[in-house]
Amino acid sequence: MKTIFESSRHGRRAFTVPRVEIADSDPIPAEYLNDGIDLVEVSEVDAVRHYTALSRANFGVDVGMYPLGSCTMKYNPKINERLASLDGFASLHPMLPASMQQGALRVMYELSRCLSEITGMSAFSLAPAAGAHGELAGVMVMKKYFEERKEPRTVILIPDSAHGTNPASVATCGFEVKQVTSAAGGDVDIDALKAMMSGNVAAMMLTSPNTFGLFDRNVRVIADILHANGSLFYCDGANLNAVIGKAKVADMGFDLMHINLHKTFSTPHGGGGPGAGPLGVVERLEKYLPVPVIAKSDAGYFLDEARPDSIGRIHSFFGNFLVCLRAYVYIRMLGAEGIKRTAEVAVLNANYLMARLKEIYHLPIDRRCMHEFVLSDKGLPNHITTNDIGKRILDYGFHAPTVYFPLLIPGAIMIEPTESESKETLDAFVEAMRKIREEAEENPQLVAAAPHTTPVRRVDAVAAARKPVLTWEG
Amino acid sequence: MDYTGHTPRDIEEMLKVIGVADIDELFADIPSVVGLNRPVDLPAPLSEIEVTSLVTQIAGENLITTQFIGAGAYRHHIPAALEALASRSEFYTSYTPYQPEVSQGTLAAIFEFQTLICRLTGMDVANASMYDGATALAEAVFLAVRSNDCGRVLVSRAVHPHYRQVLSTYAGASGLEIAELPLVEGGTGAESVEAVIGEDVSAVVIQNPTFFGCLENVKEIADAAHRAGAYLIVAVTEPLSLALLKSPGSLGADIVCGEGQSFGNPVGMGGPMLGLFAAKKEFVRRMPGRLAGRTVDADGNEAYVLTLQTREQHIRRERATSNICTNQGLCALRAAIYLVLLGNGLRDLADINHRTASHLRRRLLELGAEPAFNRPFFNEFTVRIKGLDRVSAALRNEGFAFGLPLGGYYDELADCAVLCATELCSAGDIDRLASAMERVLKP
């Protein structure tokens, strides 16, 4: 596939800049100016064809199913896109006086109230631009909480099954990560947890439901152990899609959480963002939330920056507002019934797939799952790996599931269908997985050399890392 | 409304296969003290027609006036072709390109984006984006500190106050020391740097153009930093300036970070934004964020893939170069398309911005405003006006957003405002503003 630079020809242009007959009243002295830039010179039709071709080399939710565990690749409603492009939002400048931004502030305020109602958390900040950003802000809140109490706690506990952003966020704030082991059934090992309690433990971070796709049956016990120890309990809300409308995260005993709007609340993944990772807290932690806080008075919505205990600002403005707007539209359309049904169908779909796939692949933890479940590579014949299975599923018109996560399951294949997929799609996926398992037995080379029908064949990532080529040099 | 398509028959069949009688059984692991036995309290669901009416009305509660304001977010024209391309759902409904064989569209676009950003900034390598300019700056500082193992950073007071606040939040959480460089003529003085720099300083941070719109003497400051063994980090909030000005790389910057929103993304109440991050090649293995690299596939054909992933959280966990996972991918795609459509014409657009801003400034000076600083500027500048609060409020009533008043950020600049004019500001707009201003200023 040619880069756009290879289509560049001197003198071509795509966009015509208007002729503006305004004289320069204050020329910039020559020593500040460059001699000209060399970006690219293409015509509009060539630019359009280039990007159209690129898009056709991409898989998307609108193309087919992404059974990616932990990613909640649900359908992105188009009405969200239309309303997020209204000029009254798109052209609204963030540094105007709040009196000119009442509509946007109202959306943020109401969305926060909806998220509070859904999760039981007392208040939310919409400033975090992604889940990891929310986690980081959450860890900063916890740090400030203990600083104020003059308790020098330096350790945060994270399960061995946690997503990599958890320890990365914790380390950024100078805490030490200590791993908590999981018991055979997939729940946190309570005895191991008790043994780790000390005055040094600030908090535990837990994904709930957990990264095996299971609801930790001891979640309240864990919360009690932590709280008795004076520690805080953080919920990584990546898997919230399993429990919305069925249980509130606060009722599980958590003190703070982040939500991934681009997972649970249908905003598009965009090929790597923008997402949003709102941070929710119980009442006693509210004072630490990032500034500004969107508040409401009789006179209207305003930005509350008079918050001396806040961790500070974490984003140049208010977070990913247009992403939050999409989530707001989604929640307003679903209502309580739609929210509950979303979780119910997500969990139904996952259990259905698990019931059918466990006949074909190894299911290491055979338990009722929530919205996702994990298979392992045990029993795969002829040196066929999880990676090979993932590549071969691409030939069948599906995206691969999440592979090699969680780390504890050897050759993990984590599958999350979401509520968007119909029974027919699920059956087609099972059928594809069944055929691949047969191929692994009878025609392993086909699987080992997959994919065969995608825009490019299996990509050499090793060479890319050995001698990185990160820009086009001509 | 919900987005599921399951019929009662589907559900019945599926429950049978699973071996349960009803859906509630699937939630049996949730302890009864935790499970909800009543619906959450949300407003009644709306149809597409109703939500359209509601949200359109809410949009109308925002006031979009003739805006002469920048201060970190810039209203520029977004070409129609960009909107058409970026709204292709294979781009926006796609996942992070971890399976490169079905993500070549995203990966190729990121590779081109990285290339374009390097060309504009004069750097060797650029990543696929950070959340915004402020967090990109924080990550730039972390990279510097990681690289030369010093714990102190000098930050100019001419850097955007919100960026300095975000940096302070991040620094506070990680134990970094931030010292402020004083404001010198709306920018930074190399002498000020020399006066306080030492061996314990990891980096000097400036913004160009500054928060006040002033052009810095980047080379002098770079030299001062380098003489003391420190890096120079240049933050850029209005990257359109890069089309006209000497690149930060050519002037000695080691890391360039900033805000890419001007390139094809709406101001959108401040988000989503686009954090730019570019550096010299010596930093590549320690830098944060995703990197798209070129390689080949099994048939020997050119292909793209996320590379040097061992820097990232999903592999290195607590030893990762950053905790960033989801970034601002679609915004970076929009920026790449913007830069391709504008191409080398970007410089002409930048020139229009400067001329328009200079015209606005001249008209304001003619009406009695005073220049706050004596430095060249790009498309933003700062003026002092007696009774600024009254003047701003009166102009607002006439439908003009008169820049950003600075009193809330800099005590000594209480009667100053920083104004911006882009290509969306016409000579007619400026005439109307000047007439309104004349009326307002009449004793």
Side-chain angles (χ1 to χ4, degrees):
Chain A
M1 198 171 293
K2 267 172 37 158
T3 65
I4 191 66
F5 307 106
E6 290 154 88
S7 306
S8 187
R9 295 290 182 274
H10 182 57
R12 282 188 187 152
R13 35 191 57 183
F15 183 82
T16 310
V17 167
R19 287 172 67 96
V20 169
E21 303 288 344
I22 294 177
D24 191 346
S25 304
D26 234 298
I28 300 174
E31 64 262 29
Y32 291 91
L33 301 175
N34 63 36
D35 296 327
I37 52 166
D38 185 24
L39 292 181
V40 72
E41 294 178 276
V42 294
S43 64
E44 182 170 322
V45 64
D46 286 345
V48 169
R49 288 204 178 129
H50 175 71
Y51 285 103
T52 301
L54 289 190
S55 77
R56 291 168 58 146
N58 248 25
F59 194 83
V61 171
D62 283 8
V63 174
M65 169 169 147
Y66 274 88
L68 281 166
S70 229
C71 298
T72 312
M73 292 296 290
K74 64 172 72 185
Y75 173 69
N76 310 133
K78 305 317 173 199
I79 185 61
N80 300 354
E81 298 306 304
R82 174 187 274 183
L83 296 177
S85 69
L86 289 175
D87 195 54
F89 294 119
S91 293
L92 185 61
H93 195 283
M95 297 287 265
L96 291 172
S99 58
M100 299 172 84
Q101 303 171 323
Q102 290 294 298
L105 296 176
R106 174 178 166 182
V107 167
M108 288 195 275
Y109 185 87
E110 289 187 11
L111 174 64
S112 299
R113 304 279 355 117
C114 289
L115 296 177
S116 287
E117 175 56 26
I118 290 168
T119 62
M121 289 294 156
S122 172
F124 271 88
S125 167
L126 302 179
H133 202 199
E135 285 173 38
L136 184 64
V139 175
M140 290 178 178
V141 163
M142 297 194 281
K143 184 166 179 151
K144 199 134 202 245
Y145 171 81
F146 288 110
E147 273 168 8
E148 191 185 86
R149 297 164 75 85
K150 299 199 183 358
E151 291 176 31
R153 297 183 185 237
T154 58
V155 169
I156 293 187
L157 306 178
I158 300 182
D160 44 15
S161 53
H163 189 269
T165 52
N166 290 180
S169 304
V170 163
T172 303
C173 295
F175 284 99
E176 187 195 335
V177 173
K178 281 213 167 115
Q179 280 200 356
V180 191
T181 48
S182 309
D187 298 323
V188 165
D189 184 338
I190 293 295
D191 293 326
L193 177 65
K194 281 182 183 156
M196 296 178 87
M197 281 301 113
S198 79
N200 206 12
V201 171
M204 178 171 171
M205 289 178 88
L206 181 69
T207 306
S208 179
N210 67 27
T211 58
F212 302 112
L214 306 169
F215 194 90
D216 195 315
R217 292 164 287 202
N218 294 317
V219 70
R220 286 286 291 249
V221 173
I222 297 170
D224 291 341
I225 292 170
L226 289 166
H227 291 146
N229 193 53
S231 307
L232 293 171
F233 196 17
Y234 180 97
C235 177
D236 179 330
N239 289 336
L240 190 63
N241 204 46
V243 295
I244 45 174
K246 305 295 286 183
K248 293 193 181 187
V249 172
D251 292 341
M252 298 171 200
F254 289 99
D255 301 297
L256 62 178
M257 72 178 296
H258 79 267
I259 299 179
N260 301 69
L261 295 187
H262 48 294
K263 296 185 182 190
T264 317
F265 292 100
S266 86
T267 74
H269 273 69
L279 174 69
V281 296
V282 292
E283 200 179 327
R284 76 181 187 287
L285 297 178
E286 273 189 53
K287 59 182 180 166
Y288 304 109
L289 282 176
V291 282
V293 165
I294 319 295
K296 189 175 176 189
S297 74
D298 293 329
Y301 301 96
F302 66 100
L303 298 172
D304 186 4
E305 303 206 21
R307 303 188 59 103
D309 296 310
S310 164
I311 58 171
R313 194 180 286 272
I314 63 165
H315 185 269
S316 45
F317 304 110
F318 308 103
N320 284 344
F321 170 75
L322 293 177
V323 173
C324 294
L325 174 58
R326 287 169 169 84
Y328 176 73
V329 173
Y330 181 71
I331 293 171
R332 292 304 308 260
M333 286 189 74
L334 256 53
E337 263 315 300
I339 294 276
K340 185 158 87 100
R341 183 163 162 100
T342 294
E344 288 175 342
V345 175
V347 170
L348 174 72
N349 275 0
N351 277 282
Y352 177 72
L353 277 186
M354 185 174 76
R356 296 201 56 198
L357 284 172
K358 76 184 199 184
E359 318 279 293
I360 309 166
Y361 290 84
H362 177 247
L363 180 70
I365 307 175
D366 193 346
R367 239 183 82 178
R368 184 81 64 235
C369 68
M370 299 297 293
H371 65 314
E372 68 190 8
F373 61 96
V374 190
L375 303 171
S376 86
D377 62 2
K378 184 164 169 187
L380 287 182
N382 299 318
H383 306 291
I384 293 299
T385 64
T386 287
N387 191 42
D388 295 331
I389 306 282
K391 296 301 180 189
R392 184 63 179 145
I393 199 77
L394 304 179
D395 289 327
Y396 282 87
F398 300 99
H399 192 276
T402 301
V403 293
Y404 300 104
F405 179 81
L407 301 170
L408 284 180
I409 305 288
I413 300 171
M414 183 159 59
I415 293 170
E416 175 185 357
T418 82
E419 73 282 4
S420 298
E421 305 305 333
S422 69
K423 183 171 171 298
E424 289 75 41
T425 306
L426 299 180
D427 288 339
F429 179 71
V430 171
E431 196 43 36
M433 290 291 278
R434 195 183 56 72
K435 284 215 181 77
I436 295 172
R437 185 65 180 78
E438 274 168 21
E439 288 168 359
E441 206 80 57
E442 287 152 28
N443 192 357
Q445 193 40 34
L446 192 61
V447 182
H452 303 275
T453 60
T454 48
V456 298
R457 304 285 310 282
R458 196 178 294 207
V459 167
D460 188 349
V462 172
R466 214 183 320 116
K467 275 177 52 167
V469 175
L470 306 171
T471 57
W472 188 78
E473 298 297 340
Chain B
M1 169 73 186
D2 64 65
Y3 291 93
T4 64
H6 294 51
T7 66
R9 170 112 173 258
D10 291 333
I11 296 181
E12 200 189 304
E13 284 175 16
M14 293 168 77
L15 289 173
K16 208 145 62 143
V17 167
I18 297 168
V20 291
D22 58 48
I23 288 186
D24 277 334
E25 266 190 66
L26 300 175
F27 289 85
D29 280 347
I30 300 182
S32 53
V33 294
V34 176
L36 273 178
N37 49 21
R38 69 188 189 298
V40 290
D41 185 15
L42 291 174
L46 300 174
S47 67
E48 185 171 313
I49 295 176
E50 290 160 321
V51 82
T52 299
S53 171
L54 171 71
V55 173
T56 304
Q57 178 214 314
I58 297 177
E61 290 164 14
N62 298 319
L63 298 179
I64 310 294
T65 57
T66 311
Q67 298 179 28
F68 295 95
I69 183 168
Y74 302 89
R75 284 189 64 212
H76 290 290
H77 177 77
I78 297 177
L82 192 171
E83 294 292 6
L85 292 167
S87 65
R88 289 183 70 89
S89 67
E90 299 92 332
F91 281 133
Y92 79 85
T93 71
S94 69
Y95 179 60
T96 308
Y98 288 135
Q99 294 286 355
E101 296 82 8
V102 290
S103 318
Q104 288 299 293
T106 296
L107 287 162
I110 295 174
F111 182 80
E112 291 172 354
F113 170 78
Q114 288 167 188
T115 303
L116 292 161
I117 297 302
C118 284
R119 289 185 179 191
L120 283 169
T121 57
M123 293 281 104
D124 300 320
V125 55
N127 72 18
S129 71
M130 315 297 297
Y131 308 134
D132 70 343
T135 55
L137 174 58
E139 295 270 18
V141 165
F142 281 174
L143 174 60
V145 161
R146 257 201 310 278
S147 300
N148 60 19
D149 225 359
C150 303
R152 204 157 153 254
V153 177
L154 304 179
V155 179
S156 170
R157 205 161 159 250
V159 170
H160 196 301
H162 290 183
Y163 283 39
R164 287 186 285 120
Q165 286 166 27
V166 170
L167 180 57
S168 168
T169 302
Y170 275 63
S174 63
L176 270 187
E177 196 193 318
I178 309 284
E180 205 170 71
L181 292 166
L183 204 52
V184 174
E185 271 304 319
T188 315
E191 324 71 46
S192 315
V193 173
E194 263 145 16
V196 295
I197 201 162
E199 272 182 8
D200 60 337
V201 170
S202 170
V204 173
V205 177
I206 60 173
Q207 177 180 318
N208 196 41
T210 70
F211 181 64
F212 308 98
C214 302
L215 301 191
E216 292 275 35
N217 291 320
V218 178
K219 180 105 189 29
E220 276 178 26
I221 299 168
D223 291 343
H226 293 154
R227 274 195 294 272
Y231 296 122
L232 178 66
I233 297 174
V234 177
V236 180
T237 63
E238 172 49 302
L240 183 60
S241 64
L242 297 170
L244 257 189
L245 304 178
K246 286 193 165 122
S247 74
S250 69
L251 296 171
D254 298 291
I255 304 170
V256 179
C257 57
E259 184 49 64
Q261 170 268 318
S262 283
F263 294 154
N265 287 278
V267 286
M269 189 59 175
M273 303 300 267
L274 171 57
L276 301 177
F277 196 102
K280 286 167 50 178
K281 64 164 98 74
E282 71 194 71
F283 293 100
V284 70
R285 280 171 204 276
R286 272 171 275 118
M287 63 191 263
R290 296 189 176 132
L291 293 168
R294 168 191 277 167
T295 181
V296 290
D297 75 350
D299 286 344
N301 291 319
E302 211 166 76
Y304 299 95
V305 69
L306 289 179
T307 192
L308 301 183
Q309 292 192 65
T310 51
R311 296 162 304 119
E312 298 189 68
Q313 48 76 29
H314 55 294
I315 298 187
R316 286 277 237 167
R317 301 172 72 85
E318 61 262 36
R319 291 192 338 273
T321 56
S322 165
N323 75 335
I324 193 166
C325 184
T326 296
N327 45 89
Q328 306 286 107
L330 196 72
C331 304
L333 172 76
R334 291 179 65 105
I337 296 175
Y338 179 86
L339 291 172
V340 165
L341 290 172
L342 271 290
N344 294 355
L346 193 72
R347 201 167 195 275
D348 298 331
L349 191 78
D351 183 60
I352 290 172
N353 273 247
H354 171 71
R355 282 187 281 128
T356 307
S358 78
H359 179 62
L360 170 65
R361 183 173 175 275
R362 185 173 65 76
R363 294 295 295 273
L364 293 175
L365 297 187
E366 280 167 2
L367 288 168
E370 283 166 13
F373 305 114
N374 185 22
R375 283 208 200 218
F377 58 92
F378 171 54
N379 67 2
E380 270 188 297
F381 57 89
T382 304
V383 290
R384 175 170 281 114
I385 293 182
K386 243 185 23 204
L388 176 70
D389 287 347
R390 183 190 68 83
V391 171
S392 294
L395 287 171
R396 204 176 315 138
N397 287 339
E398 304 233 14
F400 298 99
F402 190 71
L404 180 75
L406 292 174
Y409 299 99
Y410 299 86
D411 289 340
E412 73 273 36
L413 300 173
D415 50 358
C416 295
V418 57
L419 288 115
C420 175
T422 70
E423 75 280 6
L424 292 185
C425 170
S426 67
D429 290 332
I430 296 176
D431 284 339
R432 286 186 306 109
L433 173 70
S435 305
M437 184 108 175
E438 216 169 353
R439 281 196 299 280
V440 167
L441 286 176
K442 259 208 255 293

